[in-house]
Amino acid sequence: MKLHEYQAKQVFADAGIPTPDSRLASTVDEVMDAVDEIGYPAAIKAQVHVGGRGKAGGIKIATSAEEAREAAESILGMDLKGYTVDRVLVEAGVDFENELYVGITMDRNEGEPVAMVSTEGGVDIESVAEETPEKIAREHIDPAFGLHPYQARKVVFEAGIPNDVAMDVASILGTLYDLYESRDASDIEINPVMITSDREVVAADAVMNIDEDALFRQPELAEMEDEAAGDELEAKANEYGFDYVRLSGNVGIIGNGAGLVMTTLDLVDYYGGSPANFLDIGGGAKAERVTKALDMVFSDENVDSVVFNIFGGITRGDEVAKGINEALEGFDEIPKPVVVRLAGTNAEEGMEILNEDLVQVEGTLEDAVQRAVKNAEEVTQ
Amino acid sequence: MSIFVDDDTRVVVQGITGGEGKFHTEQMLEYGTNVVAGAVPGKGGQEVAGVPVYDTVDEAVDAEDADASVVFVPPAFAGDAVFEALDTDLDLVVAITEGIPTQDMAKVNKRLSEVDTRLIGPNCPGIITPGEAKLGILPGNIFESGDVGLVSRSGTLTYQVVSNLTERGIGQTTAIGIGGDPIIGTTFVDALEAFEADQDTKAVVMCGEIGGEDEEKAAKFIAENMDTPVAGFIAGRTAPPGKRMGHAGAIVSGSGTGTAESKISALNDAGVPVGDTPNEVADHIEDFL
């Protein structure tokens, strides 16, 4: 789960990390009130979960009321890479001399967190990592002990941070690790940390992503998740408790188990079709979940055909078949052709239960996918 | 022969009184696994499916001489349960639980480097040596004893590939689901090393997926250390970057690492044929035997 910049900055500020004076605004008038209080120059920054906001026109600097109004009018309501901007952060501009990068993430190869510091702040850190990896200093952290203060100093000095601010940056890094651990972050970074002309350090941006598997013990952060920001169907999937990812194709896919669902998507592509979604109904799914899954896929207007692929371990084929029948019997006319393939536990019972007036039944994964791709082609023609 | 588990393995089930723990204990017993004890705090003295329950893993191991555990404990408490198992000097711990916070697993991973216990999982279907023992939730009826080792990051994809093999009369020595999380115990390399050392394993199937670099490491290991032929499958060719595809570990990062292309080409370079479909993987294995 991603926090917005304004949310992450609040968390950082509460922990004692210096951040610029700022206000959240959702109308042009609110922006004008905010700049009145903060003064100029002010940065007006779109609050959407999109990288590269600046380049896409989602961040503007205003040096006068006229520019602030123009910026607010152009950013509020704009479409930024598919997301509508409904809130901006109005923030005091910082007169800076240097921009640094500090961040902590999980190094999955080592199975432990790693702290990263660089003098190359203010740009995409992933391209720094690719083009000039020597410019990022790294320090692995033993999760049993946390980040020792000496490690924070070591990585800051290694990165070549100027001496007069090094201890301040090391202190920010220490606080970031405390937040990383206590708030179950998966990534936490400040890019850039600005060094002002008075040699103060300020967090000019804030990224904080939370481990979704840990939200149960981070209730304050869980409340910050705004359902409205994402895709409507993805929000619905969240409500139903499905793992769902929307894609751009027209073959709807429902299955059980992440690996098998991914494989079903890949096969749709392999046989010349285009997958509309990833939908994993999970283990042990009963009839009701099957009905909800079909409802999800049918509500995607891009979907022209559906393939249902279940390999039962704990999931029982007869339960799934009952769910499919129940879901489809509710329609006067089946919205889109549905191909079903059942294997594993109680698959044979399931195949007998399936109403072949409502669905097309196939015996193998390959046959089921090919038939669904063909169905989709027929609809498009 | 087999790797990691056989009919001598004595199992304690952590979380045996929960719905899943109880159901799968019955299934494991029915398959012939020696489930000798359960461990659930506060439930000591009870019985589940004829298996005695103890309050702690320590007591269970002392009383019933167990050497392996299977963890069915809910995610909020599973990290602690794995620690308990690791501190009890077992040979093997299989963690089935899905959704353990990553930072809990980072701590478990640290302890793992200090003990001799093998961890399989978490977020995995477990391990089965057909005809001898299964530790986990794999449906026993699709497996058959034979010559092929299988290691996979996904549960249901494993079942798919196994059924493609079994339908052709190709049985398995041992099949292991190593789990779909970013931080796991046993890796592809660990499993491949064990299959290479197993005299009876004549070929190996490796089912990977997008995310991380474990498949690339496995490719390097195969090229440098294995005589046993390996066939591969990689799920997630069509996954968009930045989206978590069900498994917490199945995500292509923004910078483009962890893609299916990178994994397939690493395996091909190591001489490992990669099937476009699960059935093609079975074709390759048939060619090897």
Side-chain angles (χ1 to χ4, degrees), chain B residues 190-209:
Chain B
D190 299 329
L192 290 169
E193 194 174 14
F195 281 129
E196 175 69 11
D198 177 37
Q199 301 272 320
D200 292 339
T201 300
K202 302 285 193 287
V204 179
V205 176
M206 168 186 154
C207 295
E209 63 190 32

Side-chain angles (χ1 to χ4, degrees), chain A residues 313-355:
Chain A
I314 22 180
T315 310
R316 290 169 38 181
D318 52 335
E319 283 282 349
V320 173
K322 264 187 240 164
I324 293 174
N325 283 352
E326 275 171 28
L328 295 180
E329 276 155 8
F331 292 100
D332 293 333
E333 193 183 343
I334 308 298
K336 312 286 172 191
V338 180
V339 180
V340 182
R341 179 264 181 156
L342 299 175
T345 307
N346 293 3
E348 277 168 26
E349 291 89 328
M351 307 261 252
E352 274 170 32
I353 291 170
L354 282 173
N355 181 344

Side-chain angles (χ1 to χ4, degrees), chain A residues 2 83 106-113 126 130 142-145 177 180-186 211-214 216-217 234 243-247 256-263 265-267 269-271 275 278 280 309 311-314 341 343-345 365-366, chain B residues 20 23-24 75-76 98-107 109-110 137 139 141-142 153-154 156-157 159-160 163-164 181-183 209-214 217 233-240 243-251 253-255 276-280:
Chain A
K2 293 176 178 170
Y83 290 82
M106 184 62 73
D107 179 345
R108 61 189 277 186
N109 279 321
E110 300 296 327
E112 58 187 18
E126 277 164 347
E130 206 147 287
D142 183 331
F145 297 109
Y177 184 77
Y180 175 86
E181 195 191 20
S182 63
R183 301 305 188 93
D184 277 299
S186 53
D211 177 5
E212 295 186 16
D213 289 335
F216 69 86
R217 64 185 179 201
E234 290 186 359
D243 281 323
Y244 176 85
V245 177
R246 192 173 186 184
L247 302 164
N256 66 327
L260 188 60
V261 180
M262 271 192 273
T263 301
L265 264 65
D266 295 349
L267 287 184
D269 178 70
Y270 178 72
Y271 289 118
F278 170 103
D280 179 1
N309 179 33
F311 205 114
I314 22 180
R341 179 264 181 156
T345 307
L365 172 56
E366 289 81 2
Chain B
E20 287 203 27
F23 175 75
H24 289 292
E98 175 174 5
I100 303 179
T102 307
Q103 296 200 16
D104 293 2
M105 277 311 299
K107 293 188 177 83
N109 189 55
K110 178 67 187 176
I137 63 175
N141 60 327
I142 62 171
R153 264 164 79 180
S154 153
T156 47
L157 178 57
Y159 312 159
Q160 175 65 47
S163 69
N164 286 130
D181 273 2
I183 300 179
E209 63 190 32
I210 52 165
E213 291 168 22
D214 280 5
K217 286 186 194 164
F233 186 80
I234 301 292
R237 298 174 191 221
T238 49
K243 294 281 188 182
R244 168 173 160 164
M245 304 300 275
H247 282 158
I251 181 163
S253 81
S255 57
D276 285 324
T277 69
N279 207 26
E280 262 183 48

